[in-house]
PDB file of all heavy atoms in Angstrom:
ATOM      1  N   ALA A 132     163.486  50.849 -68.945  1.00 92.00           N
ATOM      2  CA  ALA A 132     164.022  49.899 -67.956  1.00 92.00           C
ATOM      3  C   ALA A 132     163.347  50.293 -66.558  1.00 92.00           C
ATOM      4  O   ALA A 132     163.250  49.329 -65.780  1.00 92.00           O
ATOM      5  CB  ALA A 132     165.552  50.080 -67.881  1.00 92.00           C
ATOM      6  N   LEU A 133     162.886  51.488 -66.332  1.00 91.00           N
ATOM      7  CA  LEU A 133     162.333  51.748 -65.097  1.00 91.00           C
ATOM      8  C   LEU A 133     160.868  51.755 -65.038  1.00 91.00           C
ATOM      9  O   LEU A 133     160.247  52.129 -64.055  1.00 91.00           O
ATOM     10  CB  LEU A 133     162.821  53.254 -64.666  1.00 91.00           C
ATOM     11  CG  LEU A 133     164.295  53.353 -64.456  1.00 91.00           C
ATOM     12  CD1 LEU A 133     164.693  54.819 -64.347  1.00 91.00           C
ATOM     13  CD2 LEU A 133     164.711  52.570 -63.123  1.00 91.00           C
ATOM     14  N   HIS A 134     160.321  51.341 -66.223  1.00 94.00           N
ATOM     15  CA  HIS A 134     158.930  51.257 -66.299  1.00 94.00           C
ATOM     16  C   HIS A 134     158.216  52.593 -66.211  1.00 94.00           C
ATOM     17  O   HIS A 134     157.202  52.706 -65.446  1.00 94.00           O
ATOM     18  CB  HIS A 134     158.263  50.241 -65.363  1.00 94.00           C
ATOM     19  CG  HIS A 134     158.928  48.792 -65.463  1.00 94.00           C
ATOM     20  ND1 HIS A 134     158.711  48.037 -66.621  1.00 94.00           N
ATOM     21  CD2 HIS A 134     159.696  48.159 -64.665  1.00 94.00           C
ATOM     22  CE1 HIS A 134     159.419  46.925 -66.435  1.00 94.00           C
ATOM     23  NE2 HIS A 134     160.022  47.047 -65.208  1.00 94.00           N
ATOM     24  N   LEU A 135     158.766  53.700 -66.781  1.00 94.00           N
ATOM     25  CA  LEU A 135     158.290  54.928 -66.737  1.00 94.00           C
ATOM     26  C   LEU A 135     158.024  55.416 -68.132  1.00 94.00           C
ATOM     27  O   LEU A 135     158.612  54.948 -69.186  1.00 94.00           O
ATOM     28  CB  LEU A 135     159.285  55.918 -66.085  1.00 94.00           C
ATOM     29  CG  LEU A 135     159.696  55.714 -64.581  1.00 94.00           C
ATOM     30  CD1 LEU A 135     160.812  56.490 -64.271  1.00 94.00           C
ATOM     31  CD2 LEU A 135     158.391  56.002 -63.808  1.00 94.00           C
ATOM     32  N   LYS A 136     157.131  56.355 -68.341  1.00 95.00           N
ATOM     33  CA  LYS A 136     156.938  57.001 -69.703  1.00 95.00           C
ATOM     34  C   LYS A 136     157.605  58.340 -69.608  1.00 95.00           C
ATOM     35  O   LYS A 136     157.418  59.093 -68.652  1.00 95.00           O
ATOM     36  CB  LYS A 136     155.411  57.191 -69.925  1.00 95.00           C
ATOM     37  CG  LYS A 136     154.807  55.809 -70.132  1.00 95.00           C
ATOM     38  CD  LYS A 136     153.330  56.001 -70.612  1.00 95.00           C
ATOM     39  CE  LYS A 136     152.701  54.705 -70.879  1.00 95.00           C
ATOM     40  NZ  LYS A 136     151.324  54.822 -71.405  1.00 95.00           N
ATOM     41  N   GLU A 137     158.283  58.659 -70.684  1.00 95.00           N
ATOM     42  CA  GLU A 137     159.060  59.960 -70.646  1.00 95.00           C
ATOM     43  C   GLU A 137     158.140  61.079 -70.400  1.00 95.00           C
ATOM     44  O   GLU A 137     158.568  62.081 -69.665  1.00 95.00           O
ATOM     45  CB  GLU A 137     159.837  60.096 -71.954  1.00 95.00           C
ATOM     46  CG  GLU A 137     160.859  61.165 -71.855  1.00 95.00           C
ATOM     47  CD  GLU A 137     161.686  61.148 -73.201  1.00 95.00           C
ATOM     48  OE1 GLU A 137     161.702  60.178 -73.990  1.00 95.00           O
ATOM     49  OE2 GLU A 137     162.348  62.193 -73.509  1.00 95.00           O
ATOM     50  N   GLU A 138     157.014  61.111 -71.052  1.00 94.00           N
ATOM     51  CA  GLU A 138     156.142  62.350 -70.885  1.00 94.00           C
ATOM     52  C   GLU A 138     155.479  62.312 -69.463  1.00 94.00           C
ATOM     53  O   GLU A 138     154.891  63.429 -69.135  1.00 94.00           O
ATOM     54  CB  GLU A 138     155.026  62.273 -72.034  1.00 94.00           C
ATOM     55  CG  GLU A 138     154.059  61.053 -71.977  1.00 94.00           C
ATOM     56  CD  GLU A 138     154.656  59.862 -72.749  1.00 94.00           C
ATOM     57  OE1 GLU A 138     155.867  59.898 -73.188  1.00 94.00           O
ATOM     58  OE2 GLU A 138     153.845  58.900 -72.855  1.00 94.00           O
ATOM     59  N   GLU A 139     155.669  61.340 -68.761  1.00 95.00           N
ATOM     60  CA  GLU A 139     154.988  61.364 -67.350  1.00 95.00           C
ATOM     61  C   GLU A 139     156.043  61.594 -66.272  1.00 95.00           C
ATOM     62  O   GLU A 139     155.668  61.546 -65.113  1.00 95.00           O
ATOM     63  CB  GLU A 139     154.279  60.041 -67.119  1.00 95.00           C
ATOM     64  CG  GLU A 139     153.053  59.808 -67.911  1.00 95.00           C
ATOM     65  CD  GLU A 139     152.395  58.599 -67.724  1.00 95.00           C
ATOM     66  OE1 GLU A 139     152.850  57.671 -67.055  1.00 95.00           O
ATOM     67  OE2 GLU A 139     151.268  58.376 -68.460  1.00 95.00           O
ATOM     68  N   LEU A 140     157.317  61.794 -66.611  1.00 95.00           N
ATOM     69  CA  LEU A 140     158.404  61.972 -65.662  1.00 95.00           C
ATOM     70  C   LEU A 140     158.051  63.193 -64.760  1.00 95.00           C
ATOM     71  O   LEU A 140     157.864  64.176 -65.347  1.00 95.00           O
ATOM     72  CB  LEU A 140     159.603  62.082 -66.269  1.00 95.00           C
ATOM     73  CG  LEU A 140     160.359  60.892 -66.933  1.00 95.00           C
ATOM     74  CD1 LEU A 140     161.695  61.339 -67.586  1.00 95.00           C
ATOM     75  CD2 LEU A 140     160.555  59.825 -65.961  1.00 95.00           C
ATOM     76  N   THR A 141     158.194  63.048 -63.515  1.00 95.00           N
ATOM     77  CA  THR A 141     158.176  64.149 -62.524  1.00 95.00           C
ATOM     78  C   THR A 141     159.568  64.694 -62.538  1.00 95.00           C
ATOM     79  O   THR A 141     160.400  64.191 -63.031  1.00 95.00           O
ATOM     80  CB  THR A 141     157.803  63.666 -61.118  1.00 95.00           C
ATOM     81  OG1 THR A 141     158.795  62.875 -60.557  1.00 95.00           O
ATOM     82  CG2 THR A 141     156.387  62.937 -61.081  1.00 95.00           C
ATOM     83  N   PHE A 142     159.696  65.986 -61.997  1.00 93.00           N
ATOM     84  CA  PHE A 142     160.905  66.534 -61.921  1.00 93.00           C
ATOM     85  C   PHE A 142     161.919  65.538 -61.172  1.00 93.00           C
ATOM     86  O   PHE A 142     163.145  65.450 -61.550  1.00 93.00           O
ATOM     87  CB  PHE A 142     160.866  67.888 -61.143  1.00 93.00           C
ATOM     88  CG  PHE A 142     162.200  68.527 -61.015  1.00 93.00           C
ATOM     89  CD1 PHE A 142     162.847  69.090 -62.110  1.00 93.00           C
ATOM     90  CD2 PHE A 142     162.857  68.395 -59.707  1.00 93.00           C
ATOM     91  CE1 PHE A 142     164.199  69.698 -61.850  1.00 93.00           C
ATOM     92  CE2 PHE A 142     164.112  68.995 -59.539  1.00 93.00           C
ATOM     93  CZ  PHE A 142     164.748  69.634 -60.604  1.00 93.00           C
ATOM     94  N   LEU A 143     161.444  65.040 -60.089  1.00 94.00           N
ATOM     95  CA  LEU A 143     162.342  64.101 -59.271  1.00 94.00           C
ATOM     96  C   LEU A 143     162.700  62.850 -60.055  1.00 94.00           C
ATOM     97  O   LEU A 143     163.887  62.324 -60.003  1.00 94.00           O
ATOM     98  CB  LEU A 143     161.689  63.660 -58.016  1.00 94.00           C
ATOM     99  CG  LEU A 143     161.635  64.739 -56.834  1.00 94.00           C
ATOM    100  CD1 LEU A 143     160.998  64.303 -55.623  1.00 94.00           C
ATOM    101  CD2 LEU A 143     163.022  65.281 -56.588  1.00 94.00           C
ATOM    102  N   ASP A 144     161.790  62.243 -60.905  1.00 94.00           N
ATOM    103  CA  ASP A 144     162.127  61.198 -61.796  1.00 94.00           C
ATOM    104  C   ASP A 144     163.266  61.542 -62.762  1.00 94.00           C
ATOM    105  O   ASP A 144     164.201  60.787 -62.922  1.00 94.00           O
ATOM    106  CB  ASP A 144     160.796  60.719 -62.539  1.00 94.00           C
ATOM    107  CG  ASP A 144     159.776  59.960 -61.635  1.00 94.00           C
ATOM    108  OD1 ASP A 144     160.198  59.469 -60.667  1.00 94.00           O
ATOM    109  OD2 ASP A 144     158.613  60.089 -62.002  1.00 94.00           O
ATOM    110  N   PHE A 145     163.007  62.749 -63.336  1.00 95.00           N
ATOM    111  CA  PHE A 145     164.060  63.252 -64.444  1.00 95.00           C
ATOM    112  C   PHE A 145     165.366  63.401 -63.554  1.00 95.00           C
ATOM    113  O   PHE A 145     166.344  63.022 -64.268  1.00 95.00           O
ATOM    114  CB  PHE A 145     163.472  64.535 -65.000  1.00 95.00           C
ATOM    115  CG  PHE A 145     164.372  65.067 -66.008  1.00 95.00           C
ATOM    116  CD1 PHE A 145     164.324  64.451 -67.377  1.00 95.00           C
ATOM    117  CD2 PHE A 145     165.349  66.056 -65.806  1.00 95.00           C
ATOM    118  CE1 PHE A 145     165.193  64.985 -68.266  1.00 95.00           C
ATOM    119  CE2 PHE A 145     166.143  66.544 -66.716  1.00 95.00           C
ATOM    120  CZ  PHE A 145     166.141  65.881 -68.023  1.00 95.00           C
ATOM    121  N   GLN A 146     165.310  63.998 -62.541  1.00 93.00           N
ATOM    122  CA  GLN A 146     166.600  64.417 -61.798  1.00 93.00           C
ATOM    123  C   GLN A 146     167.238  63.056 -61.438  1.00 93.00           C
ATOM    124  O   GLN A 146     168.594  62.941 -61.644  1.00 93.00           O
ATOM    125  CB  GLN A 146     166.191  65.140 -60.585  1.00 93.00           C
ATOM    126  CG  GLN A 146     167.443  65.443 -59.701  1.00 93.00           C
ATOM    127  CD  GLN A 146     166.992  66.262 -58.410  1.00 93.00           C
ATOM    128  OE1 GLN A 146     166.058  66.713 -58.325  1.00 93.00           O
ATOM    129  NE2 GLN A 146     167.985  66.295 -57.557  1.00 93.00           N
TER     130      GLN A 146
END
Side-chain angles (χ1 to χ4, degrees):
L133 296 172
H134 307 289
L135 297 167
K136 290 185 176 183
E137 192 173 347
E138 63 274 7
E139 294 176 356
L140 289 177
T141 65
F142 176 77
L143 288 176
D144 290 332
F145 182 81
Q146 180 181 345

